Amino acid sequence: MRNFLWLLVLALLPVQQAWAQVPQDDRPRAEIFFGYSNLQAEGLPGEEGQDDSFDDEVFGERAGLNGFNAALTGYITRRFGITGDFSFNRNDRDLTVPGGRGSLDTRVINLLGGPTVKFFNDSRVTPFARALFGIANTRFEAEEERSVAGGTQRNSFTTNATDFAMALGGGVDVKLNDRVDLRVLQVDYNPVFLRDRSIQVLGGAGAVIPQRLEGQRQDNIRLSFGVVFR
């Protein structure tokens, strides 16, 4: 995270000289962004005391979740605005486990808000940075099926929780005309602070086994691009 923030600062330094050249009337009152989003998400935290091949496949593994990102920014001053941000990302994938198969369906919904600084200048390229805070709803559905002596063993669980989340990052817009910009890149460090939680695991013969998942910080990276309307 520290390296990412330093890179963002260094990328914005060249436009510092152009800030004072922007007339007040050149800024938008508001802008709307809509585009594609890819969330590089870490897996669910592992079960306490468990060491299992299925857990190794599911827990702690990073996966790419596809979806969309939408945001509305209202500007209070020439460069400072308040942004409301919503994103939906999902991934459904099959897993291979010893002696059988499995699947993991993951969904993450972010609802965030916070300050945005946009570095308007006299060129067509406009960088921006922001710090957003709010909540993320994370849902995991996992199941496995193994061949065992005497038949087939099936295990499954579902967990769905809402936790505190942030998005720290920024990006670059390129002006197409007076009303439309192309957001060529938006990068956010998107941590989700998962709490401890209890789940019910459906085991063989329909047995329900209570398990407890440890809380952790889920270090996600969200990449987006799309169109900005003013």
Side-chain angles (χ1 to χ4, degrees):
M1 175 184 174
R2 182 179 301 174
N3 291 337
F4 169 74
L5 293 177
W6 273 113
L7 287 174
L8 182 61
V9 170
L10 291 174
L12 297 176
L13 284 177
V15 301
Q16 184 178 9
Q17 299 293 330
W19 291 2
Q21 303 176 11
V22 183
Q24 179 72 17
D25 293 341
D26 284 356
R27 67 173 176 88
R29 297 295 180 180
E31 61 184 24
I32 298 172
F33 165 71
F34 186 84
Y36 167 78
S37 173
N38 180 274
L39 183 71
Q40 294 295 312
E42 286 190 329
L44 198 65
E47 299 170 275
E48 293 180 343
Q50 295 292 320
D51 184 14
D52 183 85
S53 59
F54 183 63
D55 295 341
D56 293 340
E57 290 285 345
V58 174
F59 301 126
E61 182 174 333
R62 184 174 292 276
L65 282 64
N66 298 307
F68 67 89
N69 183 200
L72 172 64
T73 301
Y75 287 93
I76 300 173
T77 68
R78 183 166 52 191
R79 305 179 188 94
F80 179 81
I82 300 297
T83 296
D85 180 280
F86 175 84
S87 65
F88 176 94
N89 298 87
R90 182 171 182 172
N91 178 281
D92 300 336
R93 60 193 177 106
D94 295 326
L95 304 174
T96 300
V97 298
R101 62 179 183 84
S103 65
L104 174 64
D105 299 340
T106 308
R107 185 202 68 191
V108 179
I109 297 174
N110 278 287
L111 183 60
L112 309 166
T116 292
V117 178
K118 198 159 189 179
F119 306 102
F120 294 104
N121 57 82
D122 57 0
S123 75
R124 299 177 66 88
V125 179
T126 309
F128 65 92
R130 76 263 189 86
L132 309 180
F133 308 89
I135 58 174
N137 178 266
T138 306
R139 179 181 177 87
F140 292 88
E141 296 182 17
E143 65 177 32
E144 67 169 339
E145 182 178 295
R146 299 175 187 263
S147 297
V148 297
T152 301
Q153 177 181 320
R154 294 182 176 87
N155 297 307
S156 66
F157 75 85
T158 299
T159 177
N160 186 4
T162 300
D163 303 281
F164 176 69
M166 301 188 300
L168 308 176
V172 176
D173 293 344
V174 176
K175 182 178 179 180
L176 299 181
N177 56 50
D178 290 340
R179 294 293 183 181
V180 181
D181 288 354
L182 178 64
R183 181 155 296 175
V184 295
L185 178 64
Q186 176 181 289
V187 182
D188 294 307
Y189 168 60
N190 181 211
V192 179
F193 296 85
L194 299 171
R195 297 165 292 174
D196 292 350
R197 69 200 67 196
S198 298
I199 63 173
Q200 302 295 320
V201 178
L202 179 62
V208 176
I209 306 169
Q211 298 283 355
R212 185 163 181 80
L213 299 180
E214 297 179 346
Q216 71 169 25
R217 187 186 69 220
Q218 191 180 36
D219 292 320
N220 302 334
I221 301 295
R222 187 177 63 176
L223 308 172
S224 304
F225 64 87
V227 181
V228 178
F229 301 96
R230 295 191 297 273

